[in-house]
Amino acid sequence: MTSLIAVEKQKLENPPLKLHYLGDRVLRQPAKRIAKVDDSIRKLVREMLQTMYSSNGIGLAAPQVGINKQLIVIDCEPDNPQSPPLVLINPQINNFGNDLCKGEEGCLSIPGVYLDVIRPEAIEVSFKDEQGRPRKIQANDLLARVIQHEMDHLNGVMFVDRVDNGLALTAELQKHGFSVNAVKPIA
């Protein structure tokens, strides 16, 4: 169920891909489905993992590195070399659990900003792995939150769009040099 792509969990001085930040239009475009899982996709997965580890992240979506594809990499245990990353190609949530929970989220595309977001605690998601095989997993707690956060990126949604506390949101964004105008609240 876990990735077969071997990438050392280390911080590179010059990661292969460049992160895009809140306010960049590329983050607001819906990502396109990947028609064929091939070596170019596996190379992209490797580069996304290297970039994610180099930036102290636990999840990264292709739009965050300027690539308009439905591809996500996740590793909730970046300090554990025994725990392989999860690669989700064309992910789709089939089911949401009934329980909602509030949790603090951050984003590599909005560095330094951490705010509470309410999301379903458990999900069922289907996707293709890096070999192109169909997969389905049940996820809860942190993994469910990270998958939902990264899948939002595939739809041009940022976690700040889901923050209920407008005062905290405005204060945090301004403190870190981001424009509140870049937020697109979800109705």
Side-chain angles (χ1 to χ4, degrees):
M1 182 70 70
T2 50
S3 176
L4 302 172
I5 293 186
V7 169
E8 274 191 64
K9 296 185 181 190
Q10 63 183 5
K11 292 176 190 14
L12 303 176
E13 213 163 286
N14 296 305
L17 302 170
K18 182 179 167 296
L19 287 168
H20 291 257
Y21 299 101
L22 181 65
D24 191 324
R25 281 202 328 270
V26 74
L27 294 170
R28 295 301 188 173
Q29 297 165 356
K32 293 180 171 56
R33 287 182 63 75
I34 293 172
K36 185 170 179 239
V37 179
D38 57 17
D39 286 341
S40 69
I41 294 297
R42 287 185 279 277
K43 177 180 187 277
L44 176 57
V45 166
R46 264 191 299 282
E47 291 177 344
M48 283 176 62
L49 285 166
Q50 291 168 328
T51 302
M52 179 183 79
Y53 292 131
S54 299
S55 305
N56 297 319
I58 60 172
L60 185 66
Q64 291 180 269
V65 290
I67 295 167
N68 194 12
K69 293 185 187 299
Q70 290 187 16
L71 172 60
I72 295 169
V73 296
I74 293 174
D75 189 345
C76 291
E77 295 184 63
D79 298 325
N80 177 355
Q82 306 310 314
S83 162
L86 185 60
V87 176
L88 294 89
I89 297 169
N90 300 333
Q92 190 173 338
I93 295 177
N94 306 323
N95 232 321
F96 291 96
N98 294 328
D99 296 331
L100 297 177
C101 65
K102 183 187 284 190
E104 187 179 74
E105 295 187 20
C107 182
L108 294 178
S109 292
I110 318 173
V113 174
Y114 299 93
L115 293 160
D116 285 339
V117 176
I118 296 170
R119 294 190 189 269
E121 198 168 5
I123 58 171
E124 178 188 274
V125 62
S126 56
F127 58 95
K128 287 188 174 172
D129 66 14
E130 67 280 0
Q131 300 303 319
R133 293 181 299 240
R135 301 281 189 191
K136 188 184 288 189
I137 60 168
Q138 311 282 333
N140 55 33
D141 302 324
L142 179 61
L143 180 58
R145 178 169 297 279
V146 176
I147 290 171
Q148 291 173 81
H149 174 111
E150 298 307 333
M151 282 185 68
D152 271 352
H153 281 296
L154 302 183
N155 296 309
V157 175
M158 308 279 291
F159 90 94
V160 290
D161 302 340
R162 295 189 181 276
V163 172
D164 289 337
N165 185 337
L167 289 174
L169 175 63
T170 300
E172 276 296 295
L173 289 175
Q174 288 176 341
K175 184 166 90 180
H176 295 280
F178 292 102
S179 169
V180 178
N181 296 335
V183 177
K184 299 190 180 344
I186 302 219

